[in-house]
Amino acid sequence: MLIRIRKPWDQVREADATPESVFLDRRRLMKMAGLGTIALLAGCDGDSNPAKAESGGASVPDPSAPLYPARRNDAFILDRPQTDEQWASTYNNFYEFGTHKQIWANADKLPIRPWTVVIDGMVAKPASWAIDDLLGRFTLEERLYRHRCVEAWSMAVPWTGFPLRALLALAEPLSAAKYIRFETFNDPKIASGQRQNSFYPWPYVEGLTMEEAANDLAFMVTGVYGKPAAPQFGAPLRLALPWKYGFKSIKSIVRITFTDQRPETFWQSLGPDEYGFWANVNPQVPHPRWSQAFERVLGTDERRPTLLFNGYGEQVASLYKGLEHEALYM
Ligand SMILES: Nc1nc2c(c(=O)[nH]1)N[C@H]1C(S)=C(S)[C@@H](COP(=O)(O)O)O[C@H]1N2
Ligand SMILES: [Mo]
């Protein structure tokens, strides 16, 4: 078996940007070497068992299917054509299933029922929700959103879900809560990336301030293209934050914690000089290793100029008044 540790400088696989997978914190590499850990990295992410798990996502009928298609909320319009479903569903970032983009078949092993979402921390109504009971509390709607990956590709998709602030109303955060911390499942038996890249700080964690979470744009996604989301999209529950780089839109959430501490996020702990807490889109602030001025449109490969806050400044710019000293754009 070929086991090799990719070095940060020997692997540019996509022409337009160096993907996040390239990045490995040096200290982490050293620590790994020191501990004698064996790691199988991107590029040889062998899906050694292509046989589908019996409880794989697609093989179980989705009990939420009757909720689709949901009514479209026409307040959210696009400035570009919608990305073809075929493209959006076969080019995905989901490191739990590999550091490359062709993870859709592998992600299908994720059993998305039963699925429990824990809401805890500084809330009046902490609870463990079976996903379908949770969905039953909300009216689903469809929104057309742009999505801008920090790697400089973009797409435009019809998400279905409910506003995050509807979940706030359900959980009743205490006034002392300043942040929300979101956590993805952690199951190395199912997710090959969690087995093979065991030095990554699993589980994937993301976070928002309470003010960001209450903004109307912050959306909890349950479906896409008029039906329940397939596992590669982050089923059964993910975030969509269209004014931020894509890595903030955490997938397959199992825990939502209200806290007064700013969460340490997955990408921040891997690369604090490259990925921060805010990660708002700004074409004028380059990533340390590439420009963010343009984006490659998924499917057509059109090169488009990237917009400040990904074009959503009118709705969100006010959230960042007085925070100019912070690294808002990484
Ligand atoms: N748990 C988890 N969530 C994640 C990721 C991931 O690797 N793991 N990748 C992020 C990144 S970098 C992007 S661009 C989007 C991609 O979403 P898509 O595959 O639906 O396009 O998911 C985000 N959410
Ligand atoms: Mo991304």
Side-chain angles (χ1 to χ4, degrees):
M1 181 171 36
L2 173 65
I3 291 166
R4 83 191 170 103
I5 294 174
R6 284 175 157 258
K7 303 197 185 65
W9 53 87
D10 76 356
Q11 45 174 326
V12 177
R13 292 202 295 160
E14 218 188 298
D16 62 343
T18 314
E20 289 130 328
S21 59
V22 167
F23 183 83
L24 268 182
D25 179 76
R26 265 164 225 235
R27 277 165 301 149
R28 208 170 266 280
L29 268 176
M30 304 305 252
K31 206 163 99 191
M32 200 166 84
L35 293 172
T37 309
I38 292 167
L40 188 61
L41 295 189
C44 37
D45 184 55
D47 182 5
S48 53
N49 178 16
K52 248 181 85 177
E54 308 86 86
S55 52
S59 57
V60 178
D62 192 313
S64 68
L67 302 176
Y68 296 84
R71 188 189 55 83
R72 178 173 293 180
N73 183 336
D74 292 318
F76 303 93
I77 52 168
L78 295 176
D79 60 349
R80 62 195 71 183
Q82 191 176 292
T83 303
D84 283 353
E85 178 177 1
Q86 186 210 328
W87 285 103
S89 56
T90 56
Y91 185 94
N92 302 90
N93 263 342
F94 203 165
Y95 278 65
E96 285 81 346
F97 294 101
T99 54
H100 51 87
K101 298 291 186 288
Q102 274 68 49
I103 55 81
W104 59 272
N106 200 10
D108 204 39
K109 292 172 187 147
L110 181 66
I112 54 175
R113 294 294 187 291
W115 189 276
T116 305
V117 180
V118 172
I119 298 179
D120 64 0
M122 302 172 129
V123 280
K125 303 273 171 61
S128 248
W129 287 93
I131 185 70
D132 294 297
D133 294 341
L134 187 64
L135 296 192
R137 293 306 199 100
F138 308 110
T139 305
L140 300 189
E141 63 180 66
E142 182 175 79
R143 295 184 178 189
L144 306 180
Y145 271 5
R146 298 186 292 273
H147 174 97
R148 172 60 157 78
C149 177
V150 73
E151 298 163 352
W153 56 268
S154 69
M155 61 179 186
V157 292
W159 297 122
T160 302
F162 54 89
L164 177 52
R165 67 177 178 205
L167 187 136
L168 301 189
L170 183 73
E172 297 179 20
L174 308 181
S175 57
K178 300 261 179 305
Y179 299 94
I180 312 187
R181 178 185 183 278
F182 298 87
E183 190 179 299
T184 296
F185 76 90
N186 189 9
D187 191 345
K189 288 192 300 304
I190 288 165
S192 57
Q194 293 178 328
R195 280 197 299 280
Q196 292 159 355
N197 300 324
S198 55
F199 51 87
Y200 276 24
W202 306 115
Y204 198 102
V205 166
E206 260 306 336
L208 291 174
T209 64
M210 291 302 293
E211 291 74 26
E212 290 180 314
N215 188 275
D216 189 38
L217 276 179
F219 199 52
M220 299 294 311
V221 167
T222 60
V224 62
Y225 294 101
K227 56 195 180 226
Q232 68 266 30
F233 283 111
L237 188 65
R238 71 172 283 176
L239 262 179
L241 305 165
W243 72 99
K244 291 179 178 285
Y245 289 118
F247 65 86
K248 296 292 296 184
S249 294
I250 182 174
K251 296 180 169 181
S252 303
I253 295 166
V254 295
R255 192 168 170 206
I256 302 174
T257 305
F258 294 79
T259 163
D260 56 2
Q261 307 290 315
R262 188 182 287 192
E264 162 94 351
T265 69
F266 179 84
W267 283 108
Q268 233 180 332
S269 49
L270 270 170
D273 302 330
E274 307 206 348
Y275 307 106
F277 176 79
W278 298 103
N280 296 315
V281 174
N282 187 337
Q284 295 187 336
V285 178
H287 182 279
R289 291 182 285 122
W290 60 84
S291 165
Q292 295 290 27
F294 289 86
E295 62 204 58
R296 177 179 66 85
V297 176
L298 193 56
T300 65
D301 284 352
E302 181 199 349
R303 190 167 177 265
R304 282 187 82 105
T306 285
L307 306 170
L308 180 62
F309 293 114
N310 200 24
Y312 295 99
E314 209 176 298
Q315 291 97 313
V316 298
S318 63
L319 291 170
Y320 307 103
K321 292 268 156 58
L323 292 171
E324 290 78 8
H325 59 285
E326 299 242 0
L328 289 173
Y329 304 108
M330 71 163 231

